[in-house]
Amino acid sequence: MVCFLSSCGSRKTVQKGKLMDLTSTVIIPLLFGSLGIFALFRLLQWMRMRAYLQEAVVVITGATSGLGKECAKAFHAAGSKLVLCGRDSEKLKDLVQQLSTMTNHRKNTHKPHTVVFDLSDTKTVLNAAEEILRYLGHVDILINNAGISFRGTIVDTGLDVDKKVMETNYFGPIALTKALLPSMIKRRQGHIVAISSIQGKISIPFRSAYAASKHATQAFFDCLRAEVEQYNIDVTVISPGYIQTNLSLNAITADGSRYGVMDKNTAEGQTAAEVAQVVLSAVGQKKKEVLVAGLTPSLAVYLRNLFPRLFFTLMATRAKKERKAKDS
Ligand SMILES: NC(=O)C1=CN([C@@H]2O[C@H](COP(=O)(O)OP(=O)(O)OC[C@H]3O[C@@H](n4cnc5c(N)ncnc54)[C@H](OP(=O)(O)O)[C@@H]3O)[C@@H](O)[C@H]2O)C=CC1
Ligand SMILES: CCCCCCCCCCCCCCCC(=O)OCC(=O)COP(=O)(O)O
């Protein structure tokens, strides 16, 4: 018995020793090796991204405020050659002035070019595309960012309002994309980015025109991605949740007037600078799509796809609650 116990003890000691040997000779080197490979991979990825963005001709629509303005700062700092688009030439000039004061000692930065046009006017969009190609010769990255939101009940909203939202958020961006696409196909190089929304994946009550325009955006750019892959053209769709911008202030309502209220959700959203960094990194890594949202909007997207009936019930309850709050 004593002999058995002592042999058990020594067997345990031998096993412990073998385990320690295995840890020091295999597990620890493997762990450090994997960490090293991962760090090297990330470094190479970062260097490739920097090289891709440096000197790239990047067109940004809606550069006069919010996310577009922050994207302009991020891509300018990355050394891209910017074409800043907007409706207001004074705001664009101010931005160019602001960018000129941003020094980046490690990067060669460029003075941006500006183009003024209204996305809801197709003729000016086509003229703008011509001007961009004439001035810069080509476009490497087009960021379709500009957009407006909407607040209203479907029953009270005139069709002219639906059309205005679709023209700004959908027809304008696709007109600009189509106008620049042939030159990208010719060069067999290019990257088209669409700033969509979580509302491109789910519809919430009293946002019909906006959610419809963003669903259309998602569908169009998903088709485009498939069609242009053979020409080495990338398409990235970015779907943010709430961002702290003027989007709700500038939203149009059922009668076409400005909403003029800063929504609580918008005010408490991510900062535009944070989201712009996500856009920069997604573009740099040529990601196909990115969701930039908190837990609830992200869960809502999964809920819509996995348990649609439950999602529809939640949305109907939300609509009743909102209408009651408005009426009282
Ligand atoms: N804020 C948010 O919570 C979210 C925003 N998004 C999307 O992000 C994008 C940027 O919006 P955001 O920065 O938040 O909002 P802002 O209102 O701050 O910016 C919108 C930009 O679009 C421009 N714009 C609007 N209408 C037109 C038009 N007809 N022609 C040309 N430019 C136009 C505006 O120009 P001007 O200065 O002349 O008005 C402005 O530069 C939009 O596509 C929006 O749908 C997506 C998810 C969430
Ligand atoms: C266990 C699962 C819980 C899931 C809860 C689902 C019900 C909650 C719905 C939440 C809806 C979130 C919508 C997010 C919308 C959004 O982020 O949109 C961004 C925008 O484009 C903002 O535009 P807006 O003009 O609407 O401010």
Side-chain angles (χ1 to χ4, degrees):
M1 181 69 170
V2 172
C3 178
F4 173 74
L5 284 177
S6 71
S7 86
C8 273
S10 65
R11 210 179 297 155
K12 266 188 192 162
T13 316
V14 170
Q15 277 175 350
K16 213 171 158 186
K18 274 187 179 167
L19 193 71
M20 279 172 73
D21 277 355
L22 194 74
T23 308
S24 60
T25 57
V26 181
I27 298 177
I28 291 177
L30 209 69
L31 204 71
F32 277 100
S34 317
L35 278 175
I37 290 170
F38 179 70
L40 194 68
F41 172 74
R42 291 307 295 251
L43 182 72
L44 287 174
Q45 200 180 38
W46 183 82
M47 282 164 62
R48 222 174 64 170
M49 173 175 132
R50 290 281 140 179
Y52 177 53
L53 299 174
Q54 176 100 49
E55 310 292 327
V57 174
V58 180
V59 176
I60 305 176
T61 67
T64 46
S65 79
L67 181 58
K69 194 171 183 174
E70 292 305 322
C71 281
K73 291 180 194 166
F75 282 83
H76 175 77
S80 302
K81 291 178 181 162
L82 298 185
V83 180
L84 304 174
C85 308
R87 288 183 293 190
D88 185 330
S89 60
E90 284 308 308
K91 282 193 201 168
L92 287 173
K93 262 190 218 156
D94 286 351
L95 178 57
V96 172
Q97 172 61 27
Q98 215 177 318
L99 293 178
S100 72
T101 62
M102 281 174 52
T103 47
N104 186 338
H105 302 295
R106 284 169 299 143
K107 282 255 150 42
N108 188 19
T109 52
H110 306 274
K111 185 171 185 249
H113 182 68
T114 59
V115 184
V116 181
F117 64 96
D118 189 322
L119 272 168
S120 61
D121 179 349
T122 312
K123 203 159 173 252
T124 67
V125 176
L126 301 183
N127 290 342
E130 261 181 43
E131 183 187 331
I132 293 167
L133 291 176
R134 205 179 324 115
Y135 190 79
L136 287 143
H138 72 275
V139 170
D140 291 301
I141 303 170
L142 163 64
I143 304 182
N144 287 300
N145 161 76
I148 48 167
S149 195
F150 160 81
R151 301 279 184 285
T153 55
I154 290 173
V155 69
D156 296 323
T157 303
L159 203 57
D160 52 332
V161 170
D162 293 282
K163 283 183 178 168
K164 183 166 181 191
V165 177
M166 285 304 283
E167 266 157 17
T168 309
N169 293 0
Y170 178 69
F171 287 110
I174 74 160
L176 184 60
T177 301
K178 281 165 179 259
L180 295 174
L181 196 57
S183 92
M184 289 185 175
I185 291 177
K186 216 169 171 184
R187 294 180 71 224
R188 289 207 157 6
Q189 190 181 319
H191 193 155
I192 295 162
V193 182
I195 304 296
S196 182
S197 159
I198 288 289
Q199 292 186 61
K201 296 188 179 282
I202 57 168
S203 297
I204 59 174
F206 311 115
R207 300 286 191 282
S208 56
Y210 181 71
S213 71
K214 294 297 184 180
H215 274 68
T217 299
Q218 175 84 52
F220 180 90
F221 288 97
D222 281 353
C223 283
L224 182 69
R225 184 187 299 111
E227 289 183 25
V228 298
E229 200 185 74
Q230 60 182 309
Y231 305 116
N232 194 31
I233 296 171
D234 295 284
V235 174
T236 303
V237 176
I238 302 195
S239 305
Y242 297 106
I243 317 171
Q244 294 169 27
T245 68
N246 291 335
L247 191 74
S248 67
L249 279 173
N250 293 334
I252 61 168
T253 62
D255 63 8
S257 61
R258 188 172 176 263
Y259 180 59
V261 178
M262 175 59 86
D263 278 346
K264 190 170 173 282
N265 285 327
T266 308
E268 290 172 357
Q270 286 178 275
T271 66
E274 278 166 359
V275 179
Q277 283 305 320
V278 178
V279 174
L280 183 83
S281 150
V283 173
Q285 292 175 54
K286 299 187 176 179
K287 289 200 173 160
K288 297 195 188 312
E289 82 166 346
V290 182
L291 233 72
V292 200
L295 188 64
T296 308
S298 304
L299 280 177
V301 174
Y302 291 108
L303 200 67
R304 166 68 181 86
N305 290 313
L306 298 175
F307 306 102
R309 283 172 69 108
L310 176 56
F311 178 79
F312 298 147
T313 307
L314 282 170
M315 289 302 110
T317 311
R318 187 182 167 111
K320 273 183 213 143
K321 244 189 185 164
E322 269 187 46
R323 198 188 288 265
K324 216 169 164 186
K326 207 174 164 221
D327 291 345
S328 62

